[in-house]
Amino acid sequence: MSKKMYVLIGNYGSGKTELALNFAIGAAARGERTELLDLDMVNTYFRLTEPGRLMRMKDIRVVSPNFTNSSVETLSLPAEVQSAFAMDWDTVVFDVGGDAVGSTALGRYHQDFEALDPADLQVLNVVNIRRPLSGTVEKIIRLQEEMEVHSRLKITGMINNTNLAQVTSPEELRDGYEMIRQVSEKTGVPVLYTSGKKAMLDLFLAEGHDPQYIGTPFPIDTYMARDWESWVRSL
Amino acid sequence: MSLTLMKGSEAVAEAAIRAGARFFFGYPITPQTEIPEYMSARLPEVGGCFLQAESEVAAINMVYGAAATGERVITSSSSPGVSLKQEGISYMAGARLPAVILNVMRGGPGLGSIQASQGDYFQATKGGGNGDYHLITYAPASIQEAIDIMMFAYDKAEKYRVPCLLLADGIMCQMMEPVEMPEMVDFKVEPEKKPWAVTGWKPGDDPKLRAVINSLFITTEELSVHNDVLQATYREIEKNERMWECYKTDDADYIITAFGTVARIAKSAADMLRSEGLKVGVFRPITVWPFPYDELREATKGCKAILDVEANEGQMKEDVLLAVAGTKEVQYFGHCGSQMPTTDEIAKKIHEMKEGR
């Protein structure tokens, strides 16, 4: 079995970490030898820290620039990142920092990525059009181009991960579908996945849109949840 | 209603711009660096000015200068950076300059940690810099509330000629929530409405109309008169500007007092305890200065005991004690190592109180 490598890049807050966890946990559940790499050099705050504990329990190897398993993450790339290329994994998932700035960290591994069989590498742009900086076709395309330059990688597909956190409705995925479809038509970058909570995803899929712009439906669980989920508008 | 998913730091930055802020001076510090980052990209688009100062001390003095012209100015920092700004904030209070200051609290004292905390409550509400002054201090508990407060914070600051402080914590600025962003306010400095502002004076103009921004009053008489004006202003603010939220307090046997992010966790704990049959409510001050003493006393009249929950060593508990003036038992639960109290921990503590421990 060849090594499958998923590199998740995208706008700040588009849902990369949540998707990376879902890709990795899904692979591990299928019995695949899985490694998850936290390459987020930009945001040291809400990252894999808590789910990191979860990961170890599920037999996933996690590589994170985390100082003695505390919340302090050192802003450096751990040498263990090289294990993604050197070792014999079934599935490798890279969770990369937001925007072009975050994707810069990938440039360091340009030669390693070049050496891979292109068929085994998916560089996925996670798109949530409800985020202000990816709210138009033009903004998504501009960000996509910038991320390609900074990461020295070609984006092979998009993930429609449009959501409004706990108040998501199928309308989010539908609006995301329409906009990402236009991006795909203009850039030729295919839509490879549409992701969301299963119930939401099923409602969206039942609407009968063009499968070409849906890709593989990817139901997700949320692992980055907080213990207070109320959205209050109290004024 | 059109919702977008925004990170707290982006949302408060955008809200400040929509409220008319065109000047940001600051210095990066985790966990709020996304605010200056956002401002650096966004302010030039609206004809504003972003400037990364050489230090927090420089930044707050730039705020002082720009606020003196009557413009809407903002700075943001996190705890250690806000400590550095205290001298300038005291000068602004003395010079009666309106502005909005954001403190995205992290662990302390000193460099502390980069994780969220509420350890600057005393600094925010009881002083910070030197002299007899207060800032109107808002402690929002959601990103939407932070936006909504930002939209009127400049109006309040200008009405009373005081700096306003938004007291948030690291979680608030780092988390994302769906929000509705208000329309852009059409703000222009109107010199006739701000006679105190430095808006241009030329030789030949009436010297009496010349605005001088100053916090120095050499004679004791002058300083007394000046401070009397400040104190009268603070009494007005205390009278008019208290904000609070009562969550299921009407029939509550136990009332949790908490502010900001912790109050949201407390609400979840109250709901959890209510599902177990315990009547628990939450009293949340939205302005921590002026503190809603009377409202807290009124809300807790019928309860058996109060539990003050904070992500610090219980700083707000002093105000809770002042409010109830010895008529209620007040206990504290919290952490001061930048850990957030959890719903389970709060529930356990309420159960202990019920059992008389």
Side-chain angles (χ1 to χ4, degrees), chain A residues 100 112 194 196 204 216:
Chain A
D112 299 299
T194 294
F204 165 72
T216 306

Side-chain angles (χ1 to χ4, degrees), chain B residues 25-46:
Chain B
F25 309 104
Y27 189 82
I29 179 171
T30 308
Q32 62 79 55
T33 300
E34 291 87 343
I35 296 173
E37 184 190 18
Y38 187 91
M39 288 296 197
S40 69
R42 185 76 174 98
L43 275 170
E45 293 179 1
V46 292

